[in-house]
Structure formats: structure tokens, C-alpha cells
Amino acid sequence: MKLRNLLYSSGAVLLALGLNACSTLGSDNRAEAVASYISHPIQLDGKLDDPAWYKTPAYPLVHADEQFSRAIPEIRKFFRKGVVEPGKVRLLWNDKYLYVGLDLTDTDLIAESQTEQTHLCARGDAVEVFLKPARQTWYWELYVTPKGQKTSYFYPGRGLRELPSVFSANPALKGMIATANFKGTLNNSWDKDRKWSAVIAIPLTELAMAGEKLDMKTPWLILVGRCNYGRYLASMENSAFPRQPVLNYHAHADYARLKLVKGSD
């Protein structure tokens, strides 16, 4: 069964995608996100223990340029030096998956959602991964939480992203795997936690079912955004790679160019 039937059982018609439609690629000044090839499978336990993670570039999550420009003075002062609870993202790939590895400082681990396949950023700490073929209108929004909960949404185009049919109870990527590991206690703001990490395995075959392969020849874009709640923060802290002028995880012009590279691993 094709992806359009899997994703839109409610009857939304994917012919509206316009498979030949192009989206704006933005300038040539896009940031670049390198994913390094590995020939062996990654252990999916939420830990970044495999040496391959430390042979691929690490990208820090940062604030948007104007993120706190209109905040009250107390909040502007709190975040004046940049990200208070830093995080990094690393990327690997093989013939089966694109792997996203996350390493996140977090002094108050919050994960209040009791279910998956929902807007997990509204219910606690979460990271969102946005993947988009550069020449197409469609894209995915993928979530992971400190509990290893996951969500995968598929947007035929940004102009349709508020429709109920997009937010299906059925995962857009049924084969996606999300695992997490944390140091501390969940949902207890009276102690002080340390960190959490996560690994997302995104199946390449399912991405290709929409009409564009994720490979070394086809241009793809990526953005990784974090929602971080906590007692010790002056407000909920968003951070992302790449840096954005204005905080908006759906701003495709800000996405990084995803570069799959091969070498010795």
C-alpha cells in the first residue's frame, strides 16, 4: 500500500501534493548538516555509546536571533548569554535508516504525556526533527521525549498543516524507532536532574514512498528543534539547529542542507 493511503485513511487526497511542484530552496548560504555513513547497525537504547557518534560532526542547538527580543526584561536577562541548557545533535546513516542522536543537558525532566502520536512538545520536554525533500512541498515532523515516546506527522504542504487530517492517530512513519535514556527523575520538579539522550532511527524506505528518495544524490533539508521545560528556567526554552532569524520550526528557508557522506567507519 502506498504511503498516501497509509497516511490519509480519513480521505484526504494526496494528489494535492503536486509531486512535481518545487519549493523555495533559499540562498546558497544554508547551513549544512553532515550525516556520516556506518556499515554496522546502531544500538537503539537511547545512548550515544557507539564510537561512530563521535566521528561525525556535532551541531549545537541555539536560540533564534530574535527569540527573546520582546520578552520581559527578566527573561531577556536570564537568556542573555545564549542557551542555558545546551544540547547537541549528531547524524549517521546506513542503507536502512537515517539516525538522529541527541545529547541534552536538562535539570528538570518533564514528560507528562501518557500517549504517543500527539503534539508531545505541548506536554513536556521533546525534540522535533523536520525532514523535507528540497524540491518538493511535503515534509515530516518527528518527535521524541525523555520517555522514548514518539510521534510522526506528514505534511503534504505547509499550507495544509493546520488541517485535522494531518494530525492522524496513525504514525506517518510506522517503522520509525525512538529510544531515550535519562539521568534523573521524570516529572519531579523538587529535585535536580542532569540530562537525557535519544536516538531516532528513520526508515529510508518509508520516506521514499512519498516520491523522493533520501540518498546521496537527492537534495534534502533538515531542522532539529527542542522544547525544554523546567523549574530552573525563566521560561520554556526553545533551541534549534540550524540557527533561525525568527523562531519558527516550519520556516523551510532556514533548514540546513542534509549531506550524506561515506567514508571509513
Side-chain angles (χ1 to χ4, degrees), residues 122-180:
R123 294 166 173 83
D125 299 327
V127 170
E128 302 173 72
V129 178
F130 294 82
L131 275 175
K132 182 184 182 300
R135 295 184 294 228
Q136 307 297 348
T137 62
W138 65 82
Y139 62 109
W140 287 262
E141 179 181 8
L142 315 173
Y143 290 81
V144 64
T145 75
K147 290 198 288 190
Q149 295 167 313
K150 63 183 185 293
T151 292
S152 57
Y153 292 136
F154 178 80
Y155 299 94
R158 193 167 49 196
L160 302 177
R161 72 181 181 92
E162 300 298 333
L163 294 177
S165 58
V166 169
F167 306 117
S168 171
N170 298 314
L173 297 175
K174 295 183 183 297
M176 184 181 95
I177 303 168
T179 59

Side-chain angles (χ1 to χ4, degrees), residues 1 18 82 98 157 198 204 212 218 223 225 231-232:
M1 183 181 293
L98 173 69
L204 302 186
E212 198 93 327
T218 309
L223 181 137
R231 170 188 167 189
Y232 306 102

Side-chain angles (χ1 to χ4, degrees), residues 221-261:
L221 307 175
I222 188 170
L223 181 137
V224 178
R226 181 185 182 187
C227 305
N228 184 25
Y229 297 79
R231 170 188 167 189
Y232 306 102
L233 298 170
S235 74
M236 194 266 277
E237 183 176 32
N238 290 93
S239 55
F241 175 80
R243 181 189 298 276
Q244 296 191 288
V246 178
L247 179 65
N248 181 353
Y249 294 164
H250 293 270
H252 300 155
D254 301 339
Y255 288 14
R257 184 178 293 105
L258 179 58
K259 182 178 181 180
L260 306 185
V261 299

